[in-house]
Amino acid sequence: YFDVVAYTGAGAAQTVNHNLGVVPEMMWIKNRGSSENWAVYHSALGTSKYLHLNTTNGALTTDAANRWNNTSPTATQFTVGTSTEVSHFTRGFIAYLFATVAGVSKCGSYTGNGSTTGPIVDCGFSSGARFVLIKRTDTTGDWVVYDTERGITAGDDKTLELNTTDAETTGQVLNPHSSGFQLATADSFANASGGTYIFYAIA
């Protein structure tokens, strides 16, 4: 459900081999030689959109072809375009690839309902999620992270944000659910009415 690939940029569209064994559902790519944004692919957004792991931006469409070259990843390769975020001539890159494995991990998406009795997100787990990453995609929002060491209880959950240096904050966000997790907040970063979100969860 996870693979790491190091590759050298060509300064042009290029295909890169990977060993995930299945089609990646989420990819994080970072130019190691330049100050560039982290480029993020998620299957719920497709190749016409992308995110930045280090910003609050919603899904971006400008120059999306220069990130993914209008080409979906396969079980053996992924394709990047000409953007220096993903293919800068002779620069080193690192790519982190994620996928769903039944009962172990889940890449997916959900739509918020704006209620403290939020949607149940079925990840196909039997004992709930131990780690959850959420990002709003239809507008701005932080990359928020939860885990069972700090919460995912019917009480208080501690929120960390991948895109900031902030200390964790407190507040009820997720309730445990055997199949995955349930939203327990109406806050826009995780459960706005009609808001669209991507997530990655590990059992």
Side-chain angles (χ1 to χ4, degrees):
Y1 65 95
F2 177 70
D3 190 27
V4 182
V5 179
Y7 67 95
T8 301
Q14 61 185 109
T15 56
V16 181
N17 294 329
H18 68 78
N19 296 299
L20 191 61
V22 295
V23 177
E25 294 171 77
M26 182 169 65
M27 301 186 294
W28 302 351
I29 299 177
K30 180 68 178 79
N31 183 331
R32 294 186 289 148
S34 297
S35 298
E36 300 282 357
N37 291 313
W38 287 79
V40 177
Y41 165 88
H42 196 285
S43 58
L45 301 175
T47 60
S48 64
K49 297 179 181 177
Y50 62 97
L51 294 162
H52 287 144
L53 187 64
N54 54 297
T55 76
T56 62
N57 291 335
L60 302 167
T61 58
T62 303
D63 295 328
N66 292 334
R67 270 69 178 181
W68 317 125
N69 202 42
N70 296 317
T71 305
S72 298
T74 72
T76 58
Q77 294 182 322
F78 61 91
T79 303
V80 294
T82 59
S83 170
T84 54
E85 291 179 1
V86 294
S87 182
H88 193 162
F89 184 61
T90 73
R91 297 290 171 84
F93 289 81
I94 195 75
Y96 301 114
L97 282 60
F98 306 84
T100 296
V101 173
V104 175
S105 63
K106 178 68 176 179
C107 284
S109 62
Y110 66 88
T111 301
N113 67 5
S115 169
T116 54
T117 305
I120 293 171
V121 181
D122 187 347
C123 301
F125 300 160
S126 58
S127 299
R130 296 179 60 230
F131 170 90
V132 179
L133 169 66
I134 296 171
K135 174 69 175 82
R136 187 168 184 180
T137 61
D138 61 316
T139 188
T140 58
D142 293 305
W143 292 82
V144 290
V145 176
Y146 304 92
D147 58 73
T148 52
E149 291 297 307
R150 301 175 304 115
I152 312 183
T153 63
D156 183 34
D157 303 307
K158 305 296 191 297
T159 301
L160 284 172
E161 300 162 350
L162 293 186
N163 55 286
T164 76
T165 59
D166 294 349
E168 66 184 11
T169 58
T170 61
Q172 185 62 38
V173 180
L174 302 179
N175 281 335
H177 191 275
S178 59
S179 70
F181 59 95
Q182 181 178 20
L183 280 301
T185 181
D187 288 341
S188 62
F189 64 86
N191 189 30
S193 179
T196 57
Y197 302 83
I198 60 168
F199 72 89
Y200 179 67
I202 300 174

